[in-house]
């Protein structure tokens, strides 16, 4: 199991060269690497170190060429997974086998895919990166630099309050591996800088970096969806690895009456989304008329609840007495904060997250969906989902109509544009409580590539069909089994249900 990002800052350590302290920002490790080999000041007499490579990062870029923010971060994480210790006299390979020096500037050089390992002294004058006006302008894959040290910026601890510090990729101390924002290294350290630490740096941006990076979240704070299991009164989590799930155990209890209003003595239901923009999925509780949020504390648990919106007592589904519709939670405007989507009769409305503890008054974004409140509603034709099909950060509308799954792409938070049918043959996957039902569908990013995939819960098995970069889904693979009684408490012998968040 990988340790999640903690809230504690990493310790300041003396840099092996000249006493400057090394702290490398998580996502910055990719931004500085586009410096040319000439004038880089690579350390001479260094020895190359052969090691077994971890899983390869994406490789769309070429040396000294344009590179996406996602690839920069993938390359930095590649070195974090590699686990090589800091040393100015050893070198390690990138995913393509090109070698870079095992120090802070080597990490940034490698992540940016430049032709050589520049030094902290040669970097400012290399001409391959430009200084930013403010630290507040940093984006994933940019760099921070000061005399004797540099790091890769990953993301702010709180996008709306940068004074809480930032997560980084950092190569800090002799004998210690890269510090990652995603997990503690074997020395027990994680890539994090307090604001006072950040204030000692200047922000830089690689001149050929491509803005592609989208908001992401999961229970464990990375880009791969986790499996959340609501079993009776308990909620447990299995961390997504991209090749299955690893059990983290029970994270919260006391939710036995939150399996929906159709269940005897039901009080409401649970949702999951990143309410506060910190990349960690929070628990959203629809209880009676109120919607409350329990923030993810980044330590395998949720905090106490805070009511963020009220007046939703008739939005527990159209299959509930006097129901007017239902709620969803998705990022409509790609700002990293989950918004409230209200399916009210035939209309779909969005209430944007205000980023200060609530939602705004809303706007109508689509109409004509009166028969898409589920197949167990009279004359029902199917249901709606909201997920990022094309990896642009804006959650799209996915329509399960009869046997077909179609997509309406989010038009930069200005409604949805039809994009056609993307998969067929799902007529018996509208839930196990529908006649002849075999299971149900979900949509979530299983492999962390930014494209939400199709998750199929069929009987006891869960399959994933990977998104073919917004051109449909592949043939699928079995990823976990033993969930035959987790199609909802309203199904005979049901124990609970699954979420992917």
């Amino acid at each position: 199991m990988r340790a999640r990002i903690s809230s504690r800052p990493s310790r300041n350590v003396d840099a092996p060269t000249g006493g400057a302290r090394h702290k490398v920002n998580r996502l910055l490790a990719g931004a500085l690497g586009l410096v040319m080999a000439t004038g880089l000041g690579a350390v001479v007499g260094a020895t190359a170190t052969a090691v077994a490579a971890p899983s390869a990062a994406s490789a769309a870029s070429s040396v000294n060429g344009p590179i996406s923010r996602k690839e920069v971060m993938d390359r930095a994480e590649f070195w974090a997974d590699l686990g090589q210790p800091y040393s100015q006299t050893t070198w390690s390979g990138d995913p393509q086998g090109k070698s870079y020096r095992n120090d802070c500037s080597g990490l940034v050089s490698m992540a940016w895919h430049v032709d050589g390992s520049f030094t902290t002294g040669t970097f400012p004058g290399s001409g391959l990166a430009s200084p930013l006006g403010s630290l507040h302008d940093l984006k994933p894959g940019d760099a921070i630099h000061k005399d004797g040290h540099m790091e890769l910026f990953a993301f702010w601890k709180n996008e709306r309050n940068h004074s809480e510090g930032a997560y980084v990729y950092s190569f800090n101390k002799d004998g210690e591996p890269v510090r990652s924002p995603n997990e503690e290294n074997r020395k027990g350290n994680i890539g994090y800088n307090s604001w006072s630490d950040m204030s000692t740096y200047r922000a830089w941006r690689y001149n050929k970096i491509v803005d592609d990076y989208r908001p992401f979240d999961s229970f464990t704070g990375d880009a791969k969806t986790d499996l959340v299991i609501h079993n009776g009164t308990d909620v447990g989590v299995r961390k997504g690895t991209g090749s299955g799930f690893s059990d983290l155990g029970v994270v919260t209890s006391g939710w036995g009456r939150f399996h929906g209003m159709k269940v005897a003595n039901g009080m409401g239901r649970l949702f999951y989304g990143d309410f506060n923009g910190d990349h960690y999925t929070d628990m959203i509780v629809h209880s009676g008329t109120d919607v409350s949020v329990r923030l993810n504390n980044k330590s395998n648990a949720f905090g106490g609840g805070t009511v963020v919106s009220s007046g939703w007592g008739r939005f527990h589904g159209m299959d509930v007495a006097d129901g007017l519709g239902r709620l969803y939670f998705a990022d409509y405007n790609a700002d990293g904060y989950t918004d409230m989507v209200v399916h009210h009769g035939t209309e779909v409305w969005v209430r944007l997250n205000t980023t200060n503890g609530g939602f705004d008054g809303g706007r109508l974004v689509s109409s004509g969906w009166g028969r898409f409140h589920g197949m167990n509603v009279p004359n029902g034709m199917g249901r709606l989902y909201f997920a990022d099909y094309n990896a642009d950060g804006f959650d799209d509308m996915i329509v399960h109509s009869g046997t077909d799954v179609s997509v309406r792409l989010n038009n930069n938070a200005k409604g949805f544009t039809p994009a056609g049918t993307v998969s067929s043959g799902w007529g018996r996957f509208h839930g196990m409580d529908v006649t002849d039902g075999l299971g149900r569908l979900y949509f979530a990013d299983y492999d962390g590539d930014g494209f939400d995939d199709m998750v199929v819960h069929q009987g006891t098995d869960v399959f994933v069909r990977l998104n073919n970069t917004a051109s449909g889904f592949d043939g699928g693979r079995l990823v976990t089994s033993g969930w035959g009684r987790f199609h909802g408490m309203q199904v005979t012998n049901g124990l609970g249900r699954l979420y992917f968040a």
Side-chain angles (χ1 to χ4, degrees):
M1 159 177 107
R2 297 175 66 184
R4 292 168 310 287
I5 298 170
S6 70
S7 60
R8 69 178 185 272
S10 56
R11 295 170 292 169
N12 295 335
V13 294
D14 290 336
T17 56
R21 289 183 302 178
H22 282 211
K23 284 186 268 180
V24 180
N25 278 7
R26 295 177 289 189
L27 289 177
L28 295 180
L32 294 174
L34 276 166
V35 184
M36 300 171 68
T38 56
L40 294 182
V43 177
V44 296
T47 58
T49 303
V51 294
S55 57
S58 56
S61 66
S62 58
V63 174
N64 281 351
I67 188 170
S68 71
R69 294 187 183 277
K70 182 180 186 302
E71 186 178 349
V72 167
M73 291 192 294
D74 284 348
R75 289 172 66 86
E77 187 64 25
F78 177 84
W79 257 24
D81 290 342
L82 199 64
Q84 280 297 101
Y86 181 103
S87 171
Q88 293 190 325
T89 60
T90 64
W91 295 58
S92 292
D94 72 356
Q96 290 74 48
K98 181 176 176 58
S99 293
Y100 296 85
R101 196 175 55 254
N102 290 316
D103 62 8
C104 66
S105 51
L107 169 65
V108 175
S109 302
M110 185 280 302
W112 278 359
H113 207 177
V114 300
D115 188 18
S117 292
F118 55 76
T119 69
T120 55
T122 60
F123 164 69
S126 67
L128 291 171
S130 301
L132 300 177
S134 168
L135 288 170
H136 300 295
D137 296 328
L138 284 166
K139 295 182 179 181
D142 291 334
I144 54 174
H145 173 270
K146 63 182 178 182
D147 185 22
H149 187 59
M150 63 193 313
E151 302 182 346
L152 278 173
F153 175 82
F155 52 89
W156 297 104
K157 181 178 179 182
N158 184 339
E159 294 283 358
R160 299 293 170 168
N161 184 5
H162 295 175
S163 68
E164 295 184 16
Y167 289 105
V168 300
Y169 283 96
S170 170
F171 223 173
N172 285 21
K173 184 179 181 181
D174 269 339
E176 182 180 348
V178 172
R179 296 181 183 182
S180 165
N182 297 317
E183 63 177 337
E184 292 180 351
N185 63 21
R186 63 174 176 264
K187 297 290 187 178
N189 294 321
I190 201 157
Y192 171 82
N193 287 347
S194 69
W195 176 250
S196 63
D197 292 332
M198 291 292 292
S199 299
T200 65
Y201 291 91
R202 188 176 190 185
W204 291 78
R205 179 164 297 157
Y206 173 51
N207 293 333
K208 295 183 180 180
I209 200 163
V210 178
D211 278 322
D212 70 326
Y213 202 70
R214 69 176 186 94
F216 67 86
D217 60 81
S218 69
F219 178 78
T220 52
D222 62 15
K224 299 180 181 70
T225 192
D226 302 312
L227 172 58
V228 181
I229 305 150
H230 189 182
N231 182 359
T233 188
D234 296 333
V235 173
V237 173
R238 296 194 176 198
K239 176 180 171 57
T241 65
S243 59
F245 298 95
S246 175
D247 193 8
L248 300 182
V250 173
V251 299
T252 184
S253 295
W255 305 103
R257 297 180 66 185
F258 287 84
H259 290 270
M261 295 291 275
K262 286 182 64 178
V263 176
N265 300 316
M267 296 179 64
R269 66 156 291 178
L270 307 179
F271 300 86
Y272 299 89
D274 186 2
F275 182 73
N276 62 343
D278 66 352
H279 299 286
Y280 287 79
T281 298
D282 307 303
M283 177 187 284
I284 302 173
V285 184
H286 187 186
S287 177
T289 189
D290 296 333
V291 172
S292 63
V293 172
R294 295 188 171 227
L295 295 178
N296 188 321
N297 70 2
K298 306 179 181 68
S299 297
N300 270 9
F302 298 102
T306 301
V307 174
V308 297
S309 189
S310 294
W312 305 104
R314 297 180 67 184
F315 286 83
H316 289 270
M318 292 288 278
D319 52 351
V320 176
D322 297 322
L324 293 175
R326 66 156 291 175
L327 306 180
Y328 302 84
F329 294 88
D331 189 358
Y332 178 70
N333 62 344
D335 66 351
Y337 294 76
T338 194
D339 308 303
M340 179 190 288
V341 182
V342 183
H343 188 183
H344 183 183
T346 189
E347 298 173 342
V348 174
W349 293 71
V350 171
R351 295 195 172 213
L352 295 177
N353 190 317
T354 63
T355 74
N356 62 2
F359 301 100
D360 71 9
R363 74 272 306 129
L364 177 65
V365 298
S366 190
S367 295
W369 305 105
R371 296 180 67 184
F372 286 84
H373 290 270
M375 292 291 277
N376 48 1
V377 174
N379 299 316
M381 295 178 65
R383 64 156 291 177
L384 307 180
Y385 301 84
F386 296 88
D388 189 2
Y389 178 71
N390 62 344
D392 64 354
F394 296 84
D395 278 342
D396 309 300
M397 179 189 288
I398 300 179
V399 183
H400 187 184
S401 176
T403 190
D404 296 333
V405 172
S406 63
V407 172
R408 296 197 170 214
L409 295 177
N410 188 318
N411 186 23
N412 294 319
K414 297 177 182 177
F416 299 98
T417 301
T421 298
V422 297
S423 189
S424 295
W426 305 104
R428 297 180 66 183
F429 287 84
H430 290 270
M432 292 289 278
D433 52 350
V434 175
T435 303
D436 296 324
L438 292 176
R440 63 155 293 176
L441 307 179
Y442 303 84
F443 297 88
D445 188 359
Y446 177 72
D447 57 353
D449 66 351
F451 295 84
D452 280 342
D453 309 301
M454 178 189 287
V455 183
V456 183
H457 186 185
Q458 180 175 0
T460 189
D461 297 330
V462 173
F463 296 86
V464 170
R465 296 194 171 215
L466 295 177
N467 188 320
N468 289 322
T469 61
S471 59
F473 301 99
D474 72 8
R477 74 273 305 129
L478 176 67
V479 297
T480 184
S481 294
W483 306 106
R485 298 180 66 184
F486 287 84
H487 290 270
M489 292 288 278
Q490 76 278 13
V491 176
T492 303
N493 296 322
L495 292 175
R497 64 156 293 177
L498 307 181
Y499 301 83
F500 294 86

